Amino acid sequence: MTERRPLGMPFESWIDRQIREAEERGEFDDLPGKGKPLPDRNEATDEMWWIKQKLKSENLSMPLPPTLALRKEAEQALADALGARTEAEARRIVEEINARIREAIRTGLPGPPLNLMPYDVERVVSDWRRAR
C-alpha cells in the first residue's frame, strides 16, 4: 500500500477503494478466525478489556496493589507454616511474614487498607502440632 492518495479524492473514498480492491484480489480470504465470532465480544464495555486480553495471551497475571499482595502472601505463608516439615520451619515462616506485616504497618503501603495483623506464632505452632 505504497500508493499515495490522489489529490482531490476524499480520504474515506480512497481507503474504501483500497479495501474493495484488496477484497477483489482475495487478500482477506484466508484470514485466521474467518467465519468465527469475535472473542470476548461482551467485554468490549470494560475499559480494561485490552489489558486483560494481553495479560491472558501472555499468560501473565494482573499485578495486585501492595496491600493485597501482602495479604495474599500472608495467607500463603500461613498455609506453608501449617504444612511445614518441622516446628522450627513453621516458626521461621511465620516470623518472616510477621516481620513483613509489621514493616507494612509501620511504613504504610499503597492500596486498600491492609487490615492485617501479625500472626500469633505460638498459636500457629500449636495448630501445626495438632495437625501432626
Side-chain angles (χ1 to χ4, degrees), residues 2-117:
T2 58
E3 174 186 343
R4 296 185 73 92
R5 177 178 58 91
L7 291 175
M9 178 179 257
F11 190 72
E12 189 172 338
S13 298
W14 178 66
I15 291 174
D16 291 337
R17 188 187 80 199
Q18 292 209 342
I19 291 172
R20 181 181 44 76
E21 289 174 357
E23 283 178 329
E24 289 170 359
R25 289 190 303 269
E27 292 184 21
F28 301 125
D29 289 348
D30 294 324
L31 292 176
K34 180 182 176 188
K36 297 179 183 172
L38 294 174
D40 301 324
R41 284 179 34 198
N42 296 333
E43 293 184 14
T45 56
D46 182 1
E47 293 177 1
M48 306 263 295
W49 70 268
W50 64 275
I51 295 173
K52 292 175 183 174
Q53 184 178 11
K54 181 68 174 172
L55 290 171
K56 184 178 178 183
S57 69
E58 298 290 330
N59 199 23
L60 302 171
S61 61
M62 192 85 136
L64 291 173
T67 53
L68 297 180
L70 182 57
R71 279 195 228 166
K72 189 173 180 179
E73 288 175 41
E75 289 175 12
Q76 185 60 51
L78 182 60
D80 291 347
L82 294 174
R85 285 182 263 148
T86 66
E87 182 178 322
E89 183 182 355
R91 258 181 214 286
R92 181 188 53 76
I93 293 169
V94 176
E95 287 168 357
E96 285 176 4
I97 196 64
N98 279 350
R100 299 209 45 221
I101 293 169
R102 285 187 188 96
E103 178 68 15
I105 291 170
R106 187 178 64 77
T107 61
L109 289 177
L114 184 59
N115 295 336
L116 187 62
M117 296 299 293

